[in-house]
Amino acid sequence: GVTQSANQARVTINVQGNGTVTGAGLHTIGSQVSVNASPATGYLFDGWYNQSNVKVSAEREYTFTLTDNIELVAKFVYDASDDPGEGD
């Protein structure tokens, strides 16, 4: 694994639903970190959530100042309106 130095903190991203994320890993404390979420086909991005399950951003790109190790959840939800031939 990568050794964490004293001036670095780790960004961990957990994915719920179907999509891809970037921005996880070790970053310098005090720096601006950008995480990006890309929903898979048929899914919508719901938002970025913190460890307390509070939505911190609804934007696909979320930029924040890193102060400590952080765990984020990227939530993707199924887009029911995208169903071909289903619904009204």
Side-chain angles (χ1 to χ4, degrees):
V2 182
T3 317
Q4 188 169 336
S5 67
N7 68 331
Q8 287 183 318
R10 184 176 295 280
V11 177
T12 304
I13 301 175
N14 298 309
V15 175
Q16 282 186 12
N18 203 350
T20 55
V21 294
T22 61
L26 287 174
H27 299 274
T28 304
I29 290 174
S31 67
Q32 295 282 306
V33 176
S34 288
V35 290
N36 278 272
S38 304
T41 305
Y43 281 77
L44 302 168
F45 181 58
D46 179 49
W48 292 101
Y49 289 78
N50 65 15
Q51 284 156 289
S52 308
N53 204 36
V54 174
K55 186 188 281 194
V56 292
S57 178
E59 302 295 319
R60 287 189 194 184
E61 183 178 7
Y62 171 45
T63 304
F64 56 95
T65 302
L66 188 64
T67 55
D68 201 351
N69 292 337
I70 185 174
E71 204 171 308
L72 294 168
V73 178
K75 284 192 185 177
F76 301 97
V77 293
Y78 181 67
D79 182 7
S81 69
D82 207 34
D83 250 346
E86 293 288 328
D88 36 5

XYZ file of all heavy atoms in Angstrom:
655
model
N 0.822 -1.214 0.000
C 0.000 0.000 0.000
C 0.851 1.256 0.000
O 2.072 1.198 0.090
N 0.191 2.392 -0.119
C 0.883 3.675 -0.128
C 1.011 4.175 1.303
O 0.035 4.186 2.048
C 0.114 4.702 -0.991
C 0.862 6.031 -1.031
C -0.091 4.169 -2.391
N 2.190 4.559 1.692
C 2.394 5.062 3.044
C 1.889 6.497 3.138
O 2.172 7.326 2.278
C 3.878 5.026 3.427
O 4.427 3.784 2.989
C 4.052 5.153 4.920
N 1.121 6.741 4.168
C 0.538 8.063 4.370
C 1.514 8.925 5.155
O 1.915 8.555 6.249
C -0.792 7.908 5.125
C -1.587 9.174 5.242
C -2.999 8.899 5.742
O -3.499 7.800 5.588
N -3.624 9.886 6.338
N 1.895 10.066 4.596
C 2.807 10.944 5.316
C 2.016 11.907 6.198
O 0.803 12.001 6.088
C 3.692 11.722 4.338
O 2.924 12.621 3.592
N 2.730 12.613 7.060
C 2.083 13.431 8.096
C 1.222 14.544 7.511
O 0.259 14.975 8.132
C 3.135 14.023 9.017
N 1.568 15.016 6.310
C 0.818 16.148 5.751
C -0.209 15.691 4.725
O -0.670 16.472 3.906
C 1.781 17.154 5.112
C 2.450 16.590 3.866
O 2.646 15.375 3.770
N 2.805 17.450 2.928
N -0.559 14.408 4.794
C -1.541 13.888 3.846
C -2.737 13.303 4.576
O -2.637 12.866 5.722
C -0.921 12.794 2.965
C 0.046 13.331 1.926
C 0.562 12.221 1.030
O 0.873 11.138 1.510
N 0.649 12.498 -0.250
N -3.862 13.318 3.900
C -5.058 12.675 4.415
C -5.681 11.868 3.287
O -5.492 12.166 2.105
C -6.052 13.701 4.959
N -6.435 10.850 3.652
C -6.989 9.938 2.664
C -8.456 10.269 2.397
O -9.238 10.470 3.323
C -6.867 8.490 3.149
C -7.345 7.467 2.126
C -7.120 6.053 2.615
N -5.707 5.732 2.766
C -4.906 5.395 1.759
N -5.366 5.373 0.523
N -3.645 5.105 1.985
N -8.787 10.314 1.126
C -10.181 10.467 0.699
C -10.677 9.094 0.252
O -10.108 8.485 -0.660
C -10.308 11.479 -0.458
C -11.749 11.562 -0.947
C -9.810 12.852 -0.021
N -11.705 8.608 0.932
C -12.312 7.326 0.588
C -13.689 7.583 0.013
O -14.465 8.364 0.579
C -12.428 6.422 1.834
O -11.135 6.268 2.418
C -12.993 5.059 1.479
N -13.995 6.959 -1.121
C -15.307 7.138 -1.744
C -15.999 5.789 -1.841
O -15.453 4.832 -2.397
C -15.190 7.768 -3.145
C -14.499 9.130 -3.076
C -16.574 7.896 -3.790
C -14.240 9.750 -4.440
N -17.182 5.718 -1.277
C -18.032 4.538 -1.416
C -19.137 4.846 -2.410
O -19.675 5.947 -2.417
C -18.637 4.145 -0.063
C -17.551 3.780 0.937
O -16.679 2.977 0.658
N -17.597 4.405 2.097
N -19.464 3.871 -3.246
C -20.468 4.070 -4.289
C -21.723 3.292 -3.936
O -21.663 2.107 -3.597
C -19.920 3.613 -5.661
C -21.015 3.697 -6.723
C -18.728 4.453 -6.061
N -22.865 3.975 -3.984
C -24.162 3.314 -3.882
C -24.861 3.475 -5.218
O -24.928 4.580 -5.750
C -25.016 3.938 -2.778
C -24.625 3.505 -1.375
C -25.593 4.028 -0.333
O -26.646 4.519 -0.669
N -25.222 3.934 0.925
N -25.387 2.368 -5.750
C -26.010 2.436 -7.052
C -24.986 2.125 -8.128
O -24.005 1.421 -7.881
N -25.192 2.667 -9.320
C -24.389 2.284 -10.464
C -23.748 3.516 -11.086
O -24.439 4.333 -11.701
C -25.287 1.560 -11.477
C -24.492 0.663 -12.414
O -23.269 0.719 -12.424
N -25.179 -0.134 -13.190
N -22.433 3.651 -10.912
C -21.723 4.793 -11.465
C -20.256 4.700 -11.127
O -19.820 3.793 -10.427
N -19.485 5.650 -11.639
C -18.053 5.660 -11.380
C -17.663 6.981 -10.731
O -18.329 8.007 -10.933
C -17.249 5.475 -12.683
O -17.658 6.480 -13.606
C -17.494 4.110 -13.282
N -16.594 6.941 -9.948
C -16.136 8.129 -9.240
C -14.629 8.280 -9.397
O -13.916 7.299 -9.602
C -16.492 8.065 -7.736
C -17.997 8.101 -7.532
C -15.902 6.817 -7.093
N -14.161 9.522 -9.302
C -12.729 9.786 -9.292
C -12.426 10.743 -8.149
O -13.309 11.461 -7.678
C -12.251 10.418 -10.615
O -12.930 11.661 -10.798
C -12.520 9.509 -11.804
N -11.176 10.759 -7.715
C -10.737 11.707 -6.704
C -10.321 11.074 -5.397
O -9.806 11.758 -4.514
N -10.545 9.759 -5.250
C -10.148 9.094 -4.013
C -8.631 8.974 -3.946
O -7.941 9.087 -4.962
C -10.802 7.719 -3.927
N -8.136 8.751 -2.729
C -6.707 8.538 -2.543
C -6.106 9.535 -1.574
O -6.826 10.212 -0.838
N -4.778 9.608 -1.585
C -4.068 10.491 -0.669
C -3.915 11.875 -1.279
O -3.551 12.011 -2.449
C -2.681 9.916 -0.348
C -2.659 8.698 0.569
C -1.250 8.148 0.682
C -3.204 9.042 1.940
N -4.219 12.892 -0.492
C -4.071 14.283 -0.922
C -3.421 15.072 0.212
O -3.486 14.676 1.373
C -5.441 14.900 -1.252
C -6.169 14.202 -2.359
N -5.990 14.492 -3.681
C -7.092 13.208 -2.314
C -6.782 13.721 -4.416
N -7.457 12.934 -3.610
N -2.829 16.195 -0.131
C -2.179 17.035 0.874
C -3.224 17.756 1.715
O -4.181 18.322 1.181
C -1.267 18.064 0.182
O -0.346 17.366 -0.652
C -0.503 18.887 1.205
N -3.038 17.734 3.034
C -3.947 18.425 3.940
C -3.896 19.928 3.647
O -2.829 20.493 3.449
C -3.579 18.127 5.403
C -3.898 16.665 5.731
C -4.304 19.069 6.360
C -3.442 16.219 7.101
N -5.072 20.542 3.600
C -5.158 21.961 3.311
C -5.352 22.259 1.836
O -5.607 23.407 1.467
N -5.246 21.234 1.000
C -5.416 21.451 -0.434
C -6.872 21.310 -0.831
O -7.694 20.764 -0.091
C -4.559 20.463 -1.232
O -5.043 19.144 -1.062
N -7.192 21.835 -2.006
C -8.528 21.685 -2.568
C -8.581 20.341 -3.282
O -7.749 20.049 -4.141
C -8.801 22.799 -3.576
C -8.847 24.183 -2.963
C -10.154 24.457 -2.260
O -11.221 24.318 -2.841
N -10.083 24.849 -1.012
N -9.567 19.540 -2.905
C -9.746 18.231 -3.529
C -11.056 18.245 -4.304
O -12.079 18.713 -3.799
C -9.759 17.110 -2.468
C -10.056 15.761 -3.110
C -8.431 17.076 -1.725
N -11.009 17.748 -5.531
C -12.225 17.619 -6.332
C -12.527 16.146 -6.547
O -11.653 15.383 -6.954
C -12.056 18.299 -7.696
O -12.049 19.696 -7.555
N -13.758 15.770 -6.247
C -14.221 14.418 -6.548
C -15.297 14.530 -7.624
O -16.052 15.505 -7.671
C -14.760 13.706 -5.288
C -13.616 13.376 -4.326
C -15.809 14.534 -4.569
N -15.329 13.549 -8.506
C -16.259 13.571 -9.627
C -17.070 12.287 -9.667
O -16.538 11.205 -9.420
C -15.497 13.718 -10.954
C -15.134 15.155 -11.242
O -15.907 15.884 -11.826
N -13.941 15.549 -10.809
N -18.338 12.417 -9.996
C -19.238 11.273 -10.092
C -19.843 11.220 -11.485
O -20.290 12.242 -12.011
C -20.348 11.381 -9.049
N -19.857 10.031 -12.076
C -20.451 9.843 -13.400
C -21.444 8.689 -13.339
O -21.038 7.538 -13.165
C -19.377 9.526 -14.441
O -18.399 10.530 -14.473
N -22.734 8.995 -13.468
C -23.732 7.925 -13.408
C -23.614 6.987 -14.607
O -23.252 7.415 -15.711
C -25.075 8.667 -13.442
C -24.754 10.109 -13.297
C -23.328 10.310 -13.673
N -23.909 5.725 -14.392
C -24.006 4.779 -15.492
C -25.292 5.042 -16.269
O -26.183 5.759 -15.802
C -23.991 3.348 -14.954
N -25.387 4.463 -17.444
C -26.596 4.610 -18.261
C -27.814 4.134 -17.480
O -27.787 3.051 -16.880
C -26.458 3.795 -19.562
O -25.258 4.204 -20.210
C -27.643 4.041 -20.485
N -28.855 4.951 -17.466
C -30.070 4.582 -16.756
C -30.068 4.980 -15.293
O -30.997 4.662 -14.561
N -29.016 5.689 -14.862
C -28.935 6.138 -13.470
C -28.755 7.652 -13.414
O -28.262 8.266 -14.355
C -27.784 5.448 -12.728
C -28.119 4.046 -12.301
C -28.115 3.007 -13.225
C -28.474 3.755 -10.994
C -28.451 1.715 -12.855
C -28.809 2.467 -10.602
C -28.790 1.451 -11.530
O -29.125 0.181 -11.155
N -29.157 8.228 -12.293
C -28.976 9.655 -12.038
C -28.092 9.801 -10.809
O -28.127 8.969 -9.902
C -30.322 10.336 -11.774
C -31.386 10.235 -12.864
C -32.733 10.704 -12.325
C -30.984 11.053 -14.073
N -27.319 10.883 -10.768
C -26.512 11.142 -9.579
C -27.366 11.860 -8.549
O -27.928 12.917 -8.822
C -25.283 11.973 -9.935
C -24.394 12.250 -8.755
C -23.858 11.207 -8.026
C -24.114 13.547 -8.369
C -23.038 11.448 -6.928
C -23.293 13.796 -7.277
C -22.756 12.745 -6.551
N -27.475 11.274 -7.356
C -28.298 11.856 -6.294
C -27.522 12.879 -5.490
O -28.043 13.924 -5.116
C -28.826 10.740 -5.383
C -29.670 11.300 -4.252
O -30.560 12.118 -4.536
O -29.429 10.923 -3.098
N -26.248 12.594 -5.205
C -25.462 13.553 -4.449
C -24.330 12.899 -3.697
O -24.212 11.679 -3.624
N -23.494 13.773 -3.151
C -22.403 13.352 -2.271
C -22.890 13.402 -0.829
O -23.476 14.393 -0.404
C -21.200 14.275 -2.428
C -20.531 14.159 -3.766
C -20.674 15.001 -4.829
C -19.622 13.153 -4.177
N -19.906 14.569 -5.880
C -19.249 13.441 -5.511
C -19.070 12.017 -3.548
C -18.359 12.640 -6.224
C -18.179 11.229 -4.267
C -17.831 11.543 -5.585
N -22.629 12.346 -0.077
C -23.038 12.273 1.322
C -21.810 12.054 2.196
O -20.855 11.391 1.780
C -24.022 11.119 1.538
C -25.384 11.370 0.931
C -25.593 11.221 -0.431
C -26.452 11.777 1.717
C -26.830 11.467 -1.006
C -27.701 12.010 1.162
C -27.880 11.859 -0.199
O -29.113 12.098 -0.755
N -21.860 12.621 3.415
C -20.758 12.391 4.343
C -21.047 11.170 5.214
O -22.057 10.485 5.025
C -20.466 13.652 5.178
C -21.614 14.023 6.095
O -22.523 13.233 6.354
N -21.587 15.243 6.604
N -20.167 10.911 6.178
C -20.308 9.715 7.010
C -21.565 9.752 7.871
O -22.034 8.721 8.324
C -19.075 9.540 7.893
C -17.880 9.011 7.129
C -16.576 9.376 7.812
O -16.174 10.530 7.810
N -15.899 8.412 8.384
N -22.118 10.942 8.089
C -23.344 11.068 8.875
C -24.584 10.990 7.986
O -25.683 11.304 8.435
C -23.346 12.392 9.637
O -22.156 12.543 10.366
N -24.395 10.616 6.714
C -25.483 10.507 5.751
C -26.152 11.846 5.482
O -27.344 11.921 5.195
C -26.519 9.467 6.206
C -27.306 8.926 5.015
O -26.760 8.751 3.923
N -28.578 8.677 5.210
N -25.387 12.931 5.585
C -25.869 14.259 5.238
C -25.380 14.590 3.835
O -24.189 14.410 3.529
C -25.354 15.311 6.246
C -25.721 16.718 5.803
C -25.893 15.021 7.636
N -26.292 15.063 2.982
C -25.888 15.414 1.618
C -25.058 16.692 1.660
O -25.515 17.727 2.123
C -27.102 15.599 0.715
C -26.730 15.811 -0.757
C -27.925 16.194 -1.611
C -28.767 14.997 -1.971
N -29.723 15.324 -3.070
N -23.822 16.600 1.179
C -22.926 17.755 1.207
C -22.872 18.460 -0.143
O -22.455 19.612 -0.220
C -21.509 17.349 1.670
C -21.530 16.945 3.143
C -20.941 16.242 0.799
N -23.287 17.773 -1.212
C -23.319 18.405 -2.521
C -24.219 17.609 -3.454
O -24.251 16.378 -3.389
C -21.916 18.490 -3.123
O -21.973 19.066 -4.427
N -24.944 18.326 -4.313
C -25.750 17.674 -5.334
C -25.072 17.744 -6.699
O -25.574 17.215 -7.679
C -27.137 18.317 -5.406
N -23.921 18.425 -6.748
C -23.195 18.561 -8.005
C -22.353 17.315 -8.257
O -21.823 16.711 -7.326
C -22.268 19.785 -7.949
C -22.990 21.088 -7.671
C -23.933 21.463 -8.797
O -23.551 21.286 -9.977
O -25.049 21.918 -8.504
N -22.194 16.974 -9.538
C -21.361 15.811 -9.857
C -19.916 16.059 -9.463
O -19.208 15.156 -9.052
C -21.423 15.507 -11.361
C -22.735 14.900 -11.788
C -22.600 14.431 -13.221
N -23.897 14.131 -13.797
C -24.048 13.625 -15.017
N -22.993 13.403 -15.768
N -25.254 13.368 -15.473
N -19.462 17.308 -9.586
C -18.116 17.653 -9.148
C -18.211 18.409 -7.834
O -18.858 19.445 -7.753
C -17.382 18.501 -10.185
C -15.948 18.791 -9.755
C -15.165 19.595 -10.786
O -15.788 20.044 -11.771
O -13.963 19.772 -10.600
N -17.589 17.865 -6.810
C -17.625 18.452 -5.472
C -16.194 18.784 -5.074
O -15.321 17.919 -5.070
C -18.262 17.447 -4.507
C -18.187 17.809 -3.041
C -18.487 19.095 -2.601
C -17.841 16.857 -2.088
C -18.434 19.421 -1.254
C -17.795 17.166 -0.739
C -18.090 18.451 -0.332
O -18.041 18.770 1.006
N -15.950 20.055 -4.771
C -14.611 20.502 -4.368
C -14.662 20.967 -2.923
O -15.566 21.702 -2.531
C -14.128 21.643 -5.285
O -14.162 21.200 -6.639
C -12.704 22.053 -4.926
N -13.692 20.540 -2.145
C -13.666 20.899 -0.726
C -12.213 21.009 -0.280
O -11.309 20.517 -0.953
C -14.408 19.857 0.121
C -13.884 18.455 -0.038
C -12.944 17.943 0.847
C -14.312 17.653 -1.086
C -12.442 16.663 0.703
C -13.825 16.360 -1.239
C -12.894 15.867 -0.345
N -12.011 21.657 0.849
C -10.676 21.753 1.436
C -10.469 20.575 2.379
O -11.263 20.352 3.289
C -10.510 23.077 2.199
O -10.752 24.163 1.296
C -9.102 23.201 2.767
N -9.417 19.845 2.148
C -9.151 18.630 2.920
C -8.516 18.989 4.260
O -7.487 19.662 4.306
C -8.227 17.720 2.115
C -7.986 16.329 2.684
C -9.279 15.538 2.708
C -6.938 15.596 1.862
N -9.140 18.544 5.355
C -8.591 18.812 6.681
C -8.179 17.533 7.399
O -7.347 17.567 8.302
C -9.617 19.547 7.550
O -10.824 18.779 7.584
C -9.909 20.930 6.988
N -8.779 16.407 7.031
C -8.515 15.155 7.720
C -8.999 14.030 6.813
O -9.647 14.283 5.794
C -9.272 15.125 9.058
C -8.674 14.119 10.046
O -7.791 13.341 9.635
O -9.093 14.113 11.212
N -8.700 12.792 7.205
C -9.244 11.661 6.455
C -10.755 11.818 6.342
O -11.424 12.170 7.315
C -8.927 10.341 7.162
C -7.437 10.023 7.136
O -6.695 10.513 6.287
N -6.999 9.211 8.068
N -11.278 11.558 5.161
C -12.701 11.760 4.935
C -13.251 10.591 4.138
O -12.566 10.007 3.293
C -12.971 13.102 4.210
C -14.465 13.379 4.083
C -12.306 13.122 2.835
C -14.801 14.746 3.515
N -14.483 10.224 4.456
C -15.166 9.173 3.733
C -16.434 9.769 3.146
O -17.236 10.364 3.866
C -15.501 8.023 4.688
C -15.666 6.695 4.008
C -15.781 5.548 5.009
O -14.910 5.437 5.900
O -16.756 4.788 4.898
N -16.586 9.642 1.844
C -17.769 10.167 1.158
C -18.514 9.026 0.495
O -17.926 8.009 0.130
C -17.361 11.186 0.086
C -16.722 12.483 0.556
C -16.126 13.231 -0.626
C -17.745 13.355 1.272
N -19.824 9.217 0.340
C -20.640 8.267 -0.408
C -21.197 8.982 -1.624
O -21.798 10.056 -1.505
C -21.794 7.700 0.453
C -22.653 6.751 -0.373
C -21.243 6.994 1.682
N -20.978 8.398 -2.795
C -21.597 8.890 -4.027
C -22.837 8.035 -4.277
O -22.726 6.826 -4.473
C -20.622 8.775 -5.194
N -24.013 8.682 -4.241
C -25.259 7.929 -4.397
C -25.817 8.125 -5.808
O -26.058 9.249 -6.248
C -26.299 8.376 -3.364
C -26.037 7.836 -1.969
C -27.234 8.057 -1.048
C -26.900 7.620 0.367
N -28.009 7.891 1.307
N -26.004 6.999 -6.482
C -26.644 6.996 -7.791
C -27.988 6.297 -7.648
O -28.097 5.276 -6.976
C -25.786 6.249 -8.816
C -24.412 6.835 -8.999
C -23.314 6.306 -8.333
C -24.208 7.918 -9.835
C -22.041 6.836 -8.510
C -22.934 8.461 -10.019
C -21.863 7.912 -9.355
N -29.010 6.855 -8.295
C -30.340 6.276 -8.210
C -30.818 5.907 -9.605
O -30.487 6.566 -10.599
C -31.352 7.229 -7.528
C -30.990 7.406 -6.054
C -31.390 8.570 -8.225
N -31.625 4.854 -9.662
C -32.157 4.383 -10.925
C -33.101 5.431 -11.509
O -33.933 5.993 -10.810
C -32.897 3.060 -10.709
C -33.469 2.483 -11.966
C -32.622 2.020 -12.982
C -34.839 2.374 -12.143
C -33.139 1.471 -14.142
C -35.367 1.833 -13.314
C -34.509 1.386 -14.306
O -35.028 0.859 -15.462
N -32.929 5.697 -12.810
C -33.779 6.677 -13.487
C -34.958 5.963 -14.103
O -34.873 5.406 -15.190
C -32.958 7.405 -14.568
C -33.772 8.467 -15.278
O -34.923 8.739 -14.859
O -33.263 9.023 -16.265
N -36.093 5.972 -13.381
C -37.281 5.234 -13.844
C -37.811 5.789 -15.162
O -38.397 5.054 -15.955
C -38.355 5.285 -12.772
N -37.598 7.071 -15.419
C -38.114 7.683 -16.639
C -37.343 7.202 -17.862
O -37.753 7.456 -18.996
C -38.033 9.204 -16.546
O -36.679 9.620 -16.574
N -36.240 6.501 -17.633
C -35.397 6.081 -18.738
C -35.766 4.694 -19.265
O -35.142 4.177 -20.176
C -33.931 6.060 -18.276
C -32.961 6.280 -19.425
O -33.322 7.042 -20.352
O -31.872 5.703 -19.399
N -36.787 4.100 -18.653
C -37.203 2.753 -19.055
C -37.828 2.756 -20.440
O -38.878 3.368 -20.636
C -38.239 2.210 -18.042
C -37.661 1.084 -17.221
O -36.593 0.567 -17.614
O -38.277 0.699 -16.228
N -37.237 2.065 -21.411
C -37.842 2.044 -22.746
C -39.126 1.243 -22.765
O -39.167 0.105 -22.288
C -36.766 1.386 -23.624
C -35.905 0.632 -22.677
C -36.019 1.281 -21.329
N -40.181 1.845 -23.273
C -41.451 1.143 -23.437
C -42.218 0.877 -22.159
O -43.240 0.234 -22.168
N -41.716 1.413 -21.051
C -42.409 1.203 -19.776
C -43.026 2.512 -19.299
O -42.621 3.590 -19.714
C -41.443 0.683 -18.706
C -40.907 -0.704 -18.967
C -41.976 -1.770 -18.762
O -42.849 -1.581 -17.900
O -41.933 -2.770 -19.502
N -43.962 2.401 -18.390
C -44.557 3.617 -17.805
C -45.496 4.309 -18.754
O -45.862 3.791 -19.808
N -45.878 5.555 -18.399
C -46.805 6.283 -19.262
C -46.069 7.469 -19.840
O -46.516 8.528 -19.921
C -48.040 6.689 -18.439
C -47.706 7.048 -17.012
O -46.500 7.076 -16.685
O -48.603 7.284 -16.203
